[in-house]
C-alpha cells in the first residue's frame, strides 16, 4: 500500500483496520471486487503489481460521495419515553462506547469541518468476550475485539432489510434486545445493567435506540 503509515489510527471496518475513507475505499475496490488503483496496485489474484484499473479521479469521487452522505436524523426526539430511554442508555454506560457526541477536526470540506455529530460510537476496538470471538483477525485487532458500531440509523435498518435485523459483526442478532444480550467482555456490566432493568425501562431503552 503506497500511503500506509504505521502511526495512523484505524477508524473504519468491523476491526477498525482502515484509517480513513480513502483507505477503506481502495481496499474494497482491491479485495472485494478485484480492481487495482494507484493507491493499491497489487492484483489480489496474481499478487503482481499491475497498471491501475480505475482512474484516481473516480476513486476520489467515490470517497467524496461517502464523506458527504447525510447521516439519518433521530426521530421522535421530543417523545417522553424516548427521553427516558436516553437517560437509561447513559445510566447503564452504553454511552461509554456508543458515544452520543463526537467532534470532527478540520476538513477542507467546510460542511464537515469542526462539527459536532451523534454517531453513537467511539470508533474504538473493545474486548467483547469469548461469545463474540470468532477466531478472525485483521491488523492488530484480537479475535475477540470489535470496533463499536455506530447506532445512528439503526432504527431504520429493519425496514431497509426486508423487515429483519441482522446485527453484530456477522448478523447473528435478529433484534436489538438480542444484540444487547450478546455483549460480553468490557460490555458485560452494561448487559447486566440491562438485565436488571424493569420491563418498562427496557422498553424505553429499546424505543430510544429505535429512534436513532
Ligand atoms: C465496551 C463497549 C460497549 C458497551 C459498554 C456497549 N456496547 Fe454495544 N456494541 C459494542 C461493540 C464492540 C459491538 C459490536 C459487536 C459485534 O459486532 O460483534 C456492539 C454492538 C451493539 C449493537 C448492535 C449494532 C449493530 O449494528 O450490529 C447494539 C444495538 C448495541 N451494541 C447496543 C448497546 C447497548 C444498548 C448498550 C448498553 C446496554 C451497549 N451496546 C453497550 C460495544 C459496546
Amino acid at each position: 500500500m503506497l500511503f500506509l503509515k504505521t502511526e495512523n489510527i484505524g477508524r473504519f471496518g468491523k476491526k477498525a483496520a482502515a484509517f480513513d475513507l480513502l483507505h477503506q475505499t481502495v481496499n474494497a475496490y482491491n479485495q472485494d471486487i478485484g480492481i487495482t488503483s494507484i493507491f493499491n496496485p497489487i492484483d489480489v489474484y496474481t499478487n503482481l503489481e499491475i497498471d491501475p484499473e480505475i482512474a484516481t479521479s473516480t476513486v476520489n469521487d467515490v470517497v467524496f460521495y461517502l464523506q458527504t452522505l447525510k447521516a439519518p436524523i433521530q426521530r421522535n426526539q421530543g417523545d417522553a419515553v424516548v427521553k427516558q430511554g436516553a437517560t437509561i442508555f447513559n445510566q447503564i454506560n452504553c454511552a461509554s462506547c456508543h458515544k452520543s457526541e463526537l467532534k470532527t477536526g478540520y476538513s477542507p470540506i467546510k460542511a464537515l469541518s469542526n462539527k459536532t455529530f451523534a454517531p453513537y460510537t467511539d470508533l474504538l476496538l473493545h474486548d467483547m468476550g469469548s461469545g463474540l470471538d470468532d477466531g478472525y483477525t485483521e491488523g492488530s485487532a484480537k479475535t475477540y475485539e470489535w470496533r463499536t458500531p455506530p447506532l445512528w440509523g439503526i432504527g431504520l435498518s429493519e425496514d431497509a432489510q426486508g423487515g429483519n435485523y441482522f446485527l453484530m459483526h456477522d448478523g447473528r442478532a435478529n433484534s436489538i434486545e438480542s444484540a444487547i444480550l450478546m455483549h460480553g467482555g468490557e460490555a458485560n456490566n452494561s448487559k447486566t445493567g440491562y438485565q436488571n432493568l424493569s420491563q418498562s425501562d427496557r422498553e424505553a431503552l429499546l424505543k430510544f435506540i429505535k429512534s436513532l
Side-chain angles (χ1 to χ4, degrees), residues 54-71:
I54 191 161
T56 302
S57 61
T58 307
V59 171
N60 289 336
D61 286 350
V62 170
V63 171
F64 181 78
Y65 171 72
L66 293 172
Q67 285 174 323
T68 54
L69 273 178
K70 192 174 168 71

Side-chain angles (χ1 to χ4, degrees), residues 125-181:
L125 288 171
H126 295 279
D127 171 355
M128 293 301 286
S130 55
L132 291 170
D133 182 342
D134 66 6
Y136 170 75
T137 190
E138 219 176 49
S140 58
K142 306 282 191 295
T143 53
Y144 47 81
E145 284 180 329
W146 300 99
R147 188 201 62 156
T148 311
L151 298 182
W152 62 7
I154 193 169
L156 303 170
S157 71
E158 189 180 19
D159 269 357
Q161 297 176 137
N164 297 302
Y165 276 114
F166 300 96
L167 301 173
M168 310 306 266
H169 63 271
D170 53 4
R172 66 178 76 179
N174 60 9
S175 69
I176 291 172
E177 176 163 62
S178 65
I180 296 171
L181 296 174

Side-chain angles (χ1 to χ4, degrees), residues 97-117:
C97 297
H98 296 281
K99 290 213 180 302
S100 60
E101 214 176 275
L102 292 184
K103 200 168 177 206
T104 63
Y106 167 77
S107 166
I109 304 169
K110 204 178 154 213
L112 304 179
S113 207
N114 300 311
K115 287 282 186 299
T116 302
F117 62 112

